Amino acid sequence: MGIIIQPTDNVQWKNPASLSFDGSTEYMTFDGLAGDIDTGVGTISAWVKLDSTTSNGAVLKASVDTSNLLAISYNNSAEKIQMTYKAGGSAKVADAAFAFENNDTWYNVVGTYNTSEDYVKIAVNGEVLDTTTGLGTWSGTIDKCYGGRNTVASNSFWEGHITNIAYWASDLTNKVGWIYNNGTPGNLLALEPHRLKLWLNMAEQSGTSVHDSSGLANNATLLNTPTWSTDKP
């Protein structure tokens, strides 16, 4: 007789803290994550709260160079949150209205990309809001992964709070509602743990690094002193 394993429900998870970034110099790097990113398929998730800002802001960005990169970021002039997949110099962007500066509200943003299915998607609070197709061919090996800053230039510093950044080497478009979890960060270890490559739930609440709860030790190093905060979703 085989063993039947019941799927695990998402539940409220211990989430005592976030990081506040100043939009000028503060950001974080991810130790080892570059080697765990699948450039053909993936999902990025984060909870964000945006302050009033006059510039673009990266939530998470990974790149080879200016022609091959992927990112979730905020476009200030358009007031949109965007998932970008740029390969071979061809950038494809899925975006969604995000006129939420300084409204003291948290949002869950999820970006997915899948070269086999030929799409990039963006979701906000559990709902897929845009899809773009026509992805290019990736070239090179990722060597930079940053949170809160551009990887190919010293700009696009995030201004506001970020918590629960996660990355899966799989397409979880059909799970964005599960990740949103009715507005409360849940236990991401219950969702494809073998494909979860990064999860910063920020339980430490202090220090100059953030532990990766995926089990892969892709810990984040904080640069220029982002501020720990008890403000959280």
Side-chain angles (χ1 to χ4, degrees), residues 44-87:
I44 301 169
S45 174
W47 289 81
V48 300
K49 190 173 80 165
L50 188 61
D51 291 344
S52 180
T53 183
T54 59
S55 62
N56 300 334
V59 178
L60 186 149
K61 188 166 187 175
S63 66
V64 178
D65 50 31
T66 57
S67 295
N68 299 274
L69 56 87
L70 54 92
I72 284 187
S73 58
Y74 174 66
N75 184 313
N76 174 256
S77 61
E79 294 188 316
K80 291 185 175 182
I81 196 77
Q82 301 179 323
M83 177 65 205
T84 300
Y85 185 90
K86 186 176 184 181

Side-chain angles (χ1 to χ4, degrees), residues 1 14 36 41 45 68 74 108 112 116 164 169 188 204 222:
M1 178 181 294
K14 181 181 180 183
D36 287 321
V41 60
S45 174
N68 299 274
Y74 174 66
N108 175 233
T112 61
S116 295
N164 277 264
L188 300 186
E204 48 272 90
L222 306 182

Side-chain angles (χ1 to χ4, degrees), residues 19-30 44 46-48 50 53 55-62 70-74 144-163 165 198 200 202 220-224 226:
L19 284 167
S20 176
F21 297 86
D22 66 359
S24 177
T25 62
E26 299 170 354
Y27 66 106
M28 55 185 161
T29 62
F30 301 101
I44 301 169
W47 289 81
V48 300
L50 188 61
T53 183
S55 62
N56 300 334
V59 178
L60 186 149
K61 188 166 187 175
L70 54 92
I72 284 187
S73 58
Y74 174 66
K144 288 183 181 179
C145 299
Y146 293 167
R149 202 201 97 163
N150 194 351
T151 54
V152 295
S154 184
N155 57 24
S156 293
F157 289 89
W158 183 263
E159 189 162 3
H161 292 72
I162 301 175
T163 191
I165 293 182
L198 175 75
L200 305 184
M202 302 190 180
T221 299
L222 306 182
L223 298 176
N224 300 322

Side-chain angles (χ1 to χ4, degrees), residues 4 33 54 70 72 86 111 121 129 137 145 158 165 171-172 179 182 191 204 214 218 229:
I4 299 175
L33 180 61
T54 59
L70 54 92
I72 284 187
K86 186 176 184 181
K121 296 176 181 281
L129 297 177
T137 301
C145 299
W158 183 263
I165 293 182
D171 180 1
L172 298 178
I179 295 170
N182 295 314
L191 181 60
E204 48 272 90
S214 75
N218 287 325
S229 171

